PDB file of all heavy atoms in Angstrom:
ATOM      1  N   ALA A 240     116.460 101.080 128.642  1.00 91.00           N
ATOM      2  CA  ALA A 240     117.416  99.959 128.471  1.00 91.00           C
ATOM      3  C   ALA A 240     118.431 100.276 127.220  1.00 91.00           C
ATOM      4  O   ALA A 240     119.581 100.038 127.327  1.00 91.00           O
ATOM      5  CB  ALA A 240     116.731  98.645 128.271  1.00 91.00           C
ATOM      6  N   ILE A 241     117.834 100.866 126.159  1.00 93.00           N
ATOM      7  CA  ILE A 241     118.728 101.109 125.004  1.00 93.00           C
ATOM      8  C   ILE A 241     119.719 102.162 125.323  1.00 93.00           C
ATOM      9  O   ILE A 241     120.908 102.015 124.967  1.00 93.00           O
ATOM     10  CB  ILE A 241     117.811 101.447 123.797  1.00 93.00           C
ATOM     11  CG1 ILE A 241     117.100 100.204 123.302  1.00 93.00           C
ATOM     12  CG2 ILE A 241     118.640 102.000 122.696  1.00 93.00           C
ATOM     13  CD1 ILE A 241     116.151 100.409 122.109  1.00 93.00           C
ATOM     14  N   PRO A 242     119.346 103.336 125.988  1.00 92.00           N
ATOM     15  CA  PRO A 242     120.371 104.260 126.357  1.00 92.00           C
ATOM     16  C   PRO A 242     121.451 103.693 127.235  1.00 92.00           C
ATOM     17  O   PRO A 242     122.689 103.903 127.054  1.00 92.00           O
ATOM     18  CB  PRO A 242     119.569 105.369 127.041  1.00 92.00           C
ATOM     19  CG  PRO A 242     118.221 105.336 126.484  1.00 92.00           C
ATOM     20  CD  PRO A 242     118.018 103.852 126.231  1.00 92.00           C
ATOM     21  N   ASN A 243     121.008 102.830 128.238  1.00 93.00           N
ATOM     22  CA  ASN A 243     121.991 102.177 129.062  1.00 93.00           C
ATOM     23  C   ASN A 243     122.937 101.185 128.250  1.00 93.00           C
ATOM     24  O   ASN A 243     124.097 101.104 128.503  1.00 93.00           O
ATOM     25  CB  ASN A 243     121.293 101.319 130.174  1.00 93.00           C
ATOM     26  CG  ASN A 243     120.904 102.216 131.348  1.00 93.00           C
ATOM     27  OD1 ASN A 243     121.550 103.121 131.671  1.00 93.00           O
ATOM     28  ND2 ASN A 243     119.713 101.915 131.913  1.00 93.00           N
ATOM     29  N   PHE A 244     122.347 100.604 127.284  1.00 95.00           N
ATOM     30  CA  PHE A 244     123.142  99.707 126.355  1.00 95.00           C
ATOM     31  C   PHE A 244     124.173 100.529 125.580  1.00 95.00           C
ATOM     32  O   PHE A 244     125.317 100.142 125.461  1.00 95.00           O
ATOM     33  CB  PHE A 244     122.178  99.007 125.369  1.00 95.00           C
ATOM     34  CG  PHE A 244     122.797  98.603 124.082  1.00 95.00           C
ATOM     35  CD1 PHE A 244     123.635  97.513 124.018  1.00 95.00           C
ATOM     36  CD2 PHE A 244     122.548  99.326 122.943  1.00 95.00           C
ATOM     37  CE1 PHE A 244     124.267  97.124 122.799  1.00 95.00           C
ATOM     38  CE2 PHE A 244     123.123  98.933 121.724  1.00 95.00           C
ATOM     39  CZ  PHE A 244     124.003  97.878 121.671  1.00 95.00           C
ATOM     40  N   LEU A 245     123.769 101.710 125.081  1.00 95.00           N
ATOM     41  CA  LEU A 245     124.640 102.577 124.309  1.00 95.00           C
ATOM     42  C   LEU A 245     125.764 103.048 125.183  1.00 95.00           C
ATOM     43  O   LEU A 245     126.892 103.149 124.823  1.00 95.00           O
ATOM     44  CB  LEU A 245     123.889 103.670 123.691  1.00 95.00           C
ATOM     45  CG  LEU A 245     122.876 103.298 122.594  1.00 95.00           C
ATOM     46  CD1 LEU A 245     122.032 104.490 122.215  1.00 95.00           C
ATOM     47  CD2 LEU A 245     123.567 102.739 121.367  1.00 95.00           C
ATOM     48  N   TYR A 246     125.448 103.509 126.439  1.00 95.00           N
ATOM     49  CA  TYR A 246     126.496 103.946 127.320  1.00 95.00           C
ATOM     50  C   TYR A 246     127.512 102.854 127.653  1.00 95.00           C
ATOM     51  O   TYR A 246     128.675 103.115 127.581  1.00 95.00           O
ATOM     52  CB  TYR A 246     125.852 104.439 128.638  1.00 95.00           C
ATOM     53  CG  TYR A 246     125.047 105.738 128.556  1.00 95.00           C
ATOM     54  CD1 TYR A 246     123.828 105.784 129.215  1.00 95.00           C
ATOM     55  CD2 TYR A 246     125.478 106.780 127.770  1.00 95.00           C
ATOM     56  CE1 TYR A 246     123.063 106.937 129.151  1.00 95.00           C
ATOM     57  CE2 TYR A 246     124.703 107.896 127.697  1.00 95.00           C
ATOM     58  CZ  TYR A 246     123.533 108.014 128.401  1.00 95.00           C
ATOM     59  OH  TYR A 246     122.750 109.197 128.314  1.00 95.00           O
ATOM     60  N   LEU A 247     127.011 101.691 127.983  1.00 96.00           N
ATOM     61  CA  LEU A 247     127.908 100.594 128.359  1.00 96.00           C
ATOM     62  C   LEU A 247     128.744 100.190 127.191  1.00 96.00           C
ATOM     63  O   LEU A 247     129.942 100.009 127.285  1.00 96.00           O
ATOM     64  CB  LEU A 247     127.126  99.387 128.850  1.00 96.00           C
ATOM     65  CG  LEU A 247     127.930  98.197 129.242  1.00 96.00           C
ATOM     66  CD1 LEU A 247     129.029  98.426 130.268  1.00 96.00           C
ATOM     67  CD2 LEU A 247     127.069  97.021 129.668  1.00 96.00           C
ATOM     68  N   LEU A 248     128.090 100.166 126.011  1.00 96.00           N
ATOM     69  CA  LEU A 248     128.858  99.825 124.815  1.00 96.00           C
ATOM     70  C   LEU A 248     129.998 100.832 124.553  1.00 96.00           C
ATOM     71  O   LEU A 248     131.123 100.451 124.240  1.00 96.00           O
ATOM     72  CB  LEU A 248     127.979  99.784 123.578  1.00 96.00           C
ATOM     73  CG  LEU A 248     128.614  99.509 122.184  1.00 96.00           C
ATOM     74  CD1 LEU A 248     129.246  98.161 122.216  1.00 96.00           C
ATOM     75  CD2 LEU A 248     127.589  99.591 121.077  1.00 96.00           C
ATOM     76  N   GLY A 249     129.704 102.120 124.716  1.00 95.00           N
ATOM     77  CA  GLY A 249     130.718 103.127 124.563  1.00 95.00           C
ATOM     78  C   GLY A 249     131.864 102.974 125.511  1.00 95.00           C
ATOM     79  O   GLY A 249     133.017 103.022 125.131  1.00 95.00           O
ATOM     80  N   TYR A 250     131.560 102.703 126.798  1.00 96.00           N
ATOM     81  CA  TYR A 250     132.624 102.456 127.817  1.00 96.00           C
ATOM     82  C   TYR A 250     133.461 101.284 127.514  1.00 96.00           C
ATOM     83  O   TYR A 250     134.658 101.275 127.662  1.00 96.00           O
ATOM     84  CB  TYR A 250     132.001 102.349 129.196  1.00 96.00           C
ATOM     85  CG  TYR A 250     131.082 103.429 129.559  1.00 96.00           C
ATOM     86  CD1 TYR A 250     129.994 103.165 130.488  1.00 96.00           C
ATOM     87  CD2 TYR A 250     131.190 104.697 129.109  1.00 96.00           C
ATOM     88  CE1 TYR A 250     129.132 104.203 130.867  1.00 96.00           C
ATOM     89  CE2 TYR A 250     130.286 105.689 129.470  1.00 96.00           C
ATOM     90  CZ  TYR A 250     129.264 105.420 130.345  1.00 96.00           C
ATOM     91  OH  TYR A 250     128.425 106.474 130.720  1.00 96.00           O
ATOM     92  N   LEU A 251     132.820 100.232 127.031  1.00 97.00           N
ATOM     93  CA  LEU A 251     133.558  98.996 126.705  1.00 97.00           C
ATOM     94  C   LEU A 251     134.439  99.235 125.466  1.00 97.00           C
ATOM     95  O   LEU A 251     135.571  98.726 125.419  1.00 97.00           O
ATOM     96  CB  LEU A 251     132.592  97.884 126.415  1.00 97.00           C
ATOM     97  CG  LEU A 251     131.827  97.333 127.679  1.00 97.00           C
ATOM     98  CD1 LEU A 251     130.775  96.272 127.252  1.00 97.00           C
ATOM     99  CD2 LEU A 251     132.761  96.677 128.714  1.00 97.00           C
ATOM    100  N   ILE A 252     133.988  99.971 124.512  1.00 96.00           N
ATOM    101  CA  ILE A 252     134.786 100.251 123.313  1.00 96.00           C
ATOM    102  C   ILE A 252     135.990 101.015 123.687  1.00 96.00           C
ATOM    103  O   ILE A 252     137.122 100.823 123.192  1.00 96.00           O
ATOM    104  CB  ILE A 252     133.908 100.997 122.253  1.00 96.00           C
ATOM    105  CG1 ILE A 252     132.928 100.063 121.645  1.00 96.00           C
ATOM    106  CG2 ILE A 252     134.860 101.521 121.100  1.00 96.00           C
ATOM    107  CD1 ILE A 252     131.941 100.743 120.722  1.00 96.00           C
ATOM    108  N   ILE A 253     135.840 102.022 124.565  1.00 95.00           N
ATOM    109  CA  ILE A 253     136.924 102.806 125.141  1.00 95.00           C
ATOM    110  C   ILE A 253     138.020 101.910 125.710  1.00 95.00           C
ATOM    111  O   ILE A 253     139.222 101.986 125.417  1.00 95.00           O
ATOM    112  CB  ILE A 253     136.561 103.866 126.114  1.00 95.00           C
ATOM    113  CG1 ILE A 253     135.642 104.912 125.462  1.00 95.00           C
ATOM    114  CG2 ILE A 253     137.681 104.422 126.840  1.00 95.00           C
ATOM    115  CD1 ILE A 253     134.972 105.839 126.437  1.00 95.00           C
ATOM    116  N   ALA A 254     137.604 100.944 126.529  1.00 95.00           N
ATOM    117  CA  ALA A 254     138.532 100.057 127.221  1.00 95.00           C
ATOM    118  C   ALA A 254     139.252  99.153 126.182  1.00 95.00           C
ATOM    119  O   ALA A 254     140.453  98.954 126.261  1.00 95.00           O
ATOM    120  CB  ALA A 254     137.784  99.164 128.230  1.00 95.00           C
ATOM    121  N   VAL A 255     138.559  98.713 125.202  1.00 95.00           N
ATOM    122  CA  VAL A 255     139.084  97.786 124.175  1.00 95.00           C
ATOM    123  C   VAL A 255     140.131  98.624 123.386  1.00 95.00           C
ATOM    124  O   VAL A 255     141.245  98.120 123.093  1.00 95.00           O
ATOM    125  CB  VAL A 255     138.039  97.284 123.223  1.00 95.00           C
ATOM    126  CG1 VAL A 255     138.630  96.671 121.967  1.00 95.00           C
ATOM    127  CG2 VAL A 255     137.119  96.240 123.948  1.00 95.00           C
TER     128      VAL A 255
END
Side-chain angles (χ1 to χ4, degrees):
I241 290 178
N243 279 325
F244 155 75
L245 294 172
Y246 291 139
L247 179 57
L248 179 61
Y250 307 152
L251 291 172
I252 290 174
I253 292 171
V255 168

